[in-house]
Structure formats: C-alpha cells, structure tokens
Amino acid sequence: MATPKSRPRDGYPGRALALILVVTVGLVALMFGTGNTKPRLGIDLAGGTSITLTAKSTDPKAVNKSNMDIATGIIERRVNGMGVSEAEVQTQGSDTIIVNIPKGGDRQNAADQVGTTAKLFFRPVLAVAPSGITAPAPAGTPSAGASGSPSAAPSGSATPSASASAGSSASHAPTASASATKQGRSVGEALAAEAASPSAAATGASTAPSAAASGSAAPSASGAPSAQATQPSAADLSAAMTQGTVPPELQAAFANLDCSKPEVRAAQTGADDKAMVACSQKPENGYYEKLALGPAAVKGSDVSKAQPSLDTQTGAGWQVQLQFNGTGTDAFAKVTGQLATQTPPTNQFAIVLDNQVVSHPQVNGPIPGGSAVITGRFSQAEAQDLSNVLSYGALPLEFAKSDITTVSPALGSDQLKAGLVAGAIGMLLVVAYSLVYYRGLGLVSIAGLVVSAALTYSIMSLLGGGIGFALNLPAVCGAIVAIGITADSFIVYFERIRDEVREGAPLRPAVQRAWPRARRTILVSDFVSFLCAAVLYVVSVGKVQGFAFTLGLTTALDVVVIFLFTKPLITLLARRKFFSDGHPWSGLDPKRLGARPPLRSSRRRSPSSAAVKEA
C-alpha cells in the first residue's frame, strides 16, 4: 500500500501567491472594465467651491450641537440630492458649517440651496395688490367726445369694466386678478381651474376708478384739449388696486412694501402664529405682488413627500406633488373647507416658502386625502429644486453665507503634483535602503510595495466610482505614510530570519522559525495603526477623515500582502541555491551576518562520559 504524500513542512506557498495575484489582476481588470481608471479627487486637488455658512438665530440657545448636527445632515442630503455625491459637509466650531463642492458638481445651484432654510407654511390670503407698477404719462390729446369718453370722476359703482370704453386715465395699469393664477396654483381634487378675472372695481373697493362709459360728464366736443391730468404714484395705484382687507396692524407695512426691489423681497419675515406681509417669489405679467397673509394654518413639516411631475393632461407643465402626514391632512382639509366659503381673494391659499409666496391658489372646496399639487410655470430644474428642498426638510436654523471660495483647478493640480513628488521620493528612499542593506531580499520588499500599490490604487479608484470616495491631500499623505508601514513589516520579518541565520540555522528552517515571532510583531503593530486610524476617522471631520480612511485601508492591505505575498515568496526563494547557500548578494550571507556554527557537541553527551559520571 502506497504511503500518502505528506504535506511539506513549509506548506504550499505557491497557492497563496496565486491567490493574491488573481485578486490583484481581478481588481485591476474591474477598474478598467468599469471605466474607473483614476481615483476621484477632492476639492483641494481638483478644484471646486467651498461655502462657509454661519448659523444665526434670535434665540442664542437655539444654536447648539443638536441643531447644528441636524442642519449638517439636511444640507448633506440636499446637496447629494443634486447629484454632487462627493460633496463634503462638516461643522467647524459651534456655529459654522463648511460645504466643499468639488469640480464637476452643480456648484452654482448647490451654492444657492445649501443655506436655504426651506421654511414652508400654508397661510390664508387676506389682501393682494400689484407692487411697483407705474401709470403711463397722461396724453395731451383732446378727448374723444361725449359719446365714447369715460368719466373722469371716480365712481362708486361695482360695474365691471367690460363696457366699450375708448380709454381711461388709469386703466392702462395692470388690473389685479382674483383668479388662482398668481405665481401658480395648488391643484387638488377641489382646486378649480383659473377663474375669469374681474376688474378691480368688481372687488368692492370703493376707491377704484370706474371705467364705465358716460356721456353726460364728458368734456365739450369743441376740440379743446382736456386739462392736464396728474400722474398717480405707484403707491396710489397699488392702493387703488388692492383686493381684500388689510388688517389694521399691517396697513402701514403693506402700504410701504415695494416688492419690485430684490432686497425688500428677501427681507420679509414673520412669526408663524401671526399675520404678515410678503412678496411673490416670481413676477406675474411683468410685476410682483404684495400680499397680506394670516397666521400659518399648515406647516411644511407636515409634508411627508414631495416629488416633481409633468402635467401632460392640462399642459400646465412641471409641477410638484405634495403628500401630507396625518396631522397635515386634517389641518389641510379643515382650512381649505373654511376658505371655500369666502370670496376672492380671501378664498385663496398662499404657499409661503422662506417668507416668499410661491403661489396663492383659489380654493373652491375642501381638499381631503392629504395630497396637493403646486404649479407655477416651473421648469424641470425649478420643480426638482423645490421638491428637493421640501423632501429633505426645513433647517432648524437660519444660515448666512459668510464666505464662498473657489479653488482653481491649477492650484489643485499643483498640490496633487507636490503630493505625488513627495510619495515618489519616499518610495525611492525605501527602495534604495532595501537594495543597499538587504541586497537580494530588497527585491522582495520592492515587489511587495508594487503589489500593495496596485491594490491600493485599484481599490481607491473603484471606491471613487462606487461610493463617491474623493482623494484629498491628507489622503495622499496617508498613502505616503503607508509606504513606511509596509516597509516596516518587511524589515521585521527579514531581521527575524537573519537572527536565525546568525544562530547557525540553515535558511529554510530559519524562515519557518522566524515567521511565528515576526507574525506576532507585525499583527500587533498593524492592529495599533488600524485602531488609531479607526478612532481618528470616528472623532474627526472633513479632510482628516480622508487621511484616517487611507491609513486604515493601507494598514489592512499590509496584513494581506505580508501573509499572502511576502512570506510565501521568501519560502520559495529559500529553496533556491542562491539564497539557501548564503550568496554574498542574497542578503543572507552567514559570514556578513557574523553567524557562528552550531554547538552540537555541547548539546549531546557521549555514553562514556555519562558512565564515568555515574561511577
């Protein structure tokens, strides 16, 4: 019976080498197959935009760690929702958030939205009027005669201006409409289509000039020119065209509000539980509107879902569909039921985003079911931005953009070049040291560094495409430090082998006896490095995390390389005559190492000497 083949004392090193080579080739092939042939670069290497946001609040206690952490998470989700997956959002100090948007992201759009507070409320409309309109200069031509000229005196009549009039001294200004089309409308099951627009006189405002035809009060038909009319001011026109009733506490603010100025539109604020004045977010028919609004009836936090959609049935274009939670559903149904019993414009519902009115639709009946649609002549990008802001919630604090800095790609390229040069210098120094001091064994360390570099590069490239990992300058520093960690593992093993050779052991037994002690030292050293990297990653933020991540990754790869590449390769080389015989260029020459011959006679006593001692 044949004796089974025993396992070699030094194992099967070829299998381990084959495994790590297959893994390395597979990762490189996957890297080229997916097209991720280069690591993604961070803002400090590729260029981009850095935005500094400073929290502000009327209550100093509101600027705390909890609210800052919530705001950081919301801003990060909001920016990532725009497709800027490699953006970096981090807190700095107690009241500052830094947002880094690398080159290639929608930097302008992100800069516009990262600090948006996104406070959404649904408020009833109390009054509405055009803002910033001007009347044309009065003409100096004679009147058209008694038969067709309008009355110059204001009339208290509620007759609409639908009669045939040739002209009017004030009728050229835009007429405020009571329909639901101001900046769009919210279309639910009970939101009606756009109503016909009555004139300002039809609203019951007694101060609106009448456009009804009159023959009795016309000037003489003799052809003499009429008296020069006084041009009304923008404030007078706005007051004359106001629909609804402005509460007494808001009358002064409403009269002085000029929504045609961007700084005025952005400066409007109001408490949630009190009435306020606000401006429309977009112009309608060439002018902005100012509105008096009641207290908030439904909060934006009650919106559970928001998504853009294209209205193909009515051709209204892009819109935003809203879904309310339980509390919002009940409140929305109640308030729309109350508004449906009112007359224009108090039957309108203002959708107020960051104190600006997105739309104020007309409500014809209660809207149950907890769903609504915001339309407002949105483009696809605008609808996506609005749904993005609503979906990811309102920030608990208000933020001011205290600084916006753009890092040019040229500067980033210079920093990357400097990092690569530093890495190349470090690699050359390690290679030179290995060849001079370890000679033939130095080739093993060089091969191990090449394998480690291939694994690190391919994994970083794949992580960049897979999870958006961006390589920044600290991460490059971590990779450079890893060169020393990998070289240190080689040195520990090489020195253990040389210690065994100095003790007079042949090379193959020396390789086997040195491995257990070297393995223990290497594992302890790498564990400490990995633990430091993990702790640093958890407690740090921003770019320091890039350093910790790279350090931890390369430390783990060092264990893989030393176990699956370095040790098996040395085991195979120990079988070669060049190394086993201690060639001077192998790095294992016993004479150069000061080896002493084994003292075998002292370890084994002869039988005669033992017998003499017993006698």
Side-chain angles (χ1 to χ4, degrees), residues 152-338:
S155 170
S157 172
T159 305
S161 59
S163 58
S165 61
S168 174
S169 62
S171 64
H172 296 285
T175 302
S177 172
S179 70
T181 60
K182 300 295 187 269
Q183 306 305 324
R185 53 186 176 181
S186 177
V187 184
E189 295 179 358
L191 288 185
E194 179 179 359
S197 300
S199 69
T203 66
S206 61
T207 58
S210 172
S214 173
S216 61
S220 65
S222 62
S226 63
Q228 183 72 17
T230 302
Q231 183 178 1
S233 65
D236 293 337
L237 286 174
S238 179
M241 301 178 70
T242 299
Q243 302 178 28
T245 302
V246 181
E249 66 272 17
L250 297 180
Q251 288 181 355
F254 189 83
N256 296 327
L257 184 61
D258 185 1
C259 293
S260 62
K261 300 177 180 180
E263 62 276 12
V264 175
R265 293 195 302 270
Q268 300 308 307
T269 58
D272 305 347
D273 56 348
K274 295 182 180 180
M276 64 172 294
V277 295
C279 298
S280 60
Q281 194 178 58
K282 297 179 182 179
E284 176 77 15
N285 297 326
Y287 61 89
Y288 288 88
E289 291 179 316
K290 57 182 180 180
L291 300 95
L293 307 175
V298 182
K299 296 181 179 181
S301 57
D302 293 330
V303 177
S304 60
K305 184 180 180 181
Q307 61 182 9
S309 63
L310 183 62
D311 185 2
T312 58
Q313 296 181 351
T314 63
W318 284 93
Q319 58 190 14
V320 178
Q321 296 180 342
L322 300 179
Q323 187 68 40
F324 294 94
N325 58 20
T327 304
T329 298
D330 296 339
F332 195 68
K334 180 180 179 180
V335 72
T336 51
Q338 295 173 349

Side-chain angles (χ1 to χ4, degrees), residues 145-505:
S147 61
S149 63
S151 172
S155 170
S157 172
T159 305
S161 59
S163 58
S165 61
S168 174
S169 62
S171 64
H172 296 285
T175 302
S177 172
S179 70
T181 60
K182 300 295 187 269
Q183 306 305 324
R185 53 186 176 181
S186 177
V187 184
E189 295 179 358
L191 288 185
E194 179 179 359
S197 300
S199 69
T203 66
S206 61
T207 58
S210 172
S214 173
S216 61
S220 65
S222 62
S226 63
Q228 183 72 17
T230 302
Q231 183 178 1
S233 65
D236 293 337
L237 286 174
S238 179
M241 301 178 70
T242 299
Q243 302 178 28
T245 302
V246 181
E249 66 272 17
L250 297 180
Q251 288 181 355
F254 189 83
N256 296 327
L257 184 61
D258 185 1
C259 293
S260 62
K261 300 177 180 180
E263 62 276 12
V264 175
R265 293 195 302 270
Q268 300 308 307
T269 58
D272 305 347
D273 56 348
K274 295 182 180 180
M276 64 172 294
V277 295
C279 298
S280 60
Q281 194 178 58
K282 297 179 182 179
E284 176 77 15
N285 297 326
Y287 61 89
Y288 288 88
E289 291 179 316
K290 57 182 180 180
L291 300 95
L293 307 175
V298 182
K299 296 181 179 181
S301 57
D302 293 330
V303 177
S304 60
K305 184 180 180 181
Q307 61 182 9
S309 63
L310 183 62
D311 185 2
T312 58
Q313 296 181 351
T314 63
W318 284 93
Q319 58 190 14
V320 178
Q321 296 180 342
L322 300 179
Q323 187 68 40
F324 294 94
N325 58 20
T327 304
T329 298
D330 296 339
F332 195 68
K334 180 180 179 180
V335 72
T336 51
Q338 295 173 349
L339 292 177
T341 63
Q342 306 295 323
T343 58
T346 55
N347 67 341
Q348 296 176 13
F349 209 145
I351 302 172
V352 185
L353 179 65
D354 288 340
N355 298 315
Q356 293 189 15
V357 178
V358 177
S359 63
H360 49 102
Q362 178 174 294
V363 180
N364 290 341
I367 304 178
S371 62
V373 177
I374 302 176
T375 64
R377 298 175 301 163
F378 298 122
S379 65
Q380 181 179 1
E382 291 171 338
Q384 179 63 54
D385 291 344
L386 179 58
S387 63
N388 182 29
V389 168
L390 299 179
S391 296
Y392 296 128
L395 295 177
L397 299 168
E398 294 184 2
F399 288 88
K401 298 183 181 70
S402 56
D403 183 54
I404 299 179
T405 304
T406 299
V407 179
S408 66
L411 178 59
S413 177
D414 292 341
Q415 293 179 344
L416 177 60
K417 185 182 298 183
L420 294 178
V421 169
I425 293 175
M427 180 73 78
L428 289 176
L429 291 176
V430 171
V431 168
Y433 173 81
S434 299
L435 292 177
V436 171
Y437 191 76
Y438 290 107
R439 302 195 177 188
L441 286 179
L443 298 176
V444 178
S445 65
I446 295 172
L449 288 172
V450 171
V451 173
S452 180
L455 290 172
T456 303
Y457 185 88
S458 58
I459 291 176
M460 285 186 175
S461 299
L462 292 173
L463 289 178
I467 64 174
F469 172 74
L471 186 68
N472 52 29
L473 191 58
V476 174
C477 296
I480 296 174
V481 172
I483 297 175
I485 294 177
T486 305
D488 181 67
S489 298
F490 297 151
I491 292 173
V492 169
Y493 190 25
F494 293 166
E495 289 300 326
R496 289 294 186 184
I497 295 174
R498 297 174 79 168
D499 287 342
E500 292 294 333
V501 173
R502 290 189 184 98
E503 294 295 329

Side-chain angles (χ1 to χ4, degrees), residues 16 22 31-32 41 73 87 96 105 149 173 214 278-279 399 499 555 606:
V22 168
M31 180 180 68
F32 282 97
L41 301 179
T96 303
S149 63
S214 173
C279 298
F399 288 88
D499 287 342
T555 301
S606 62

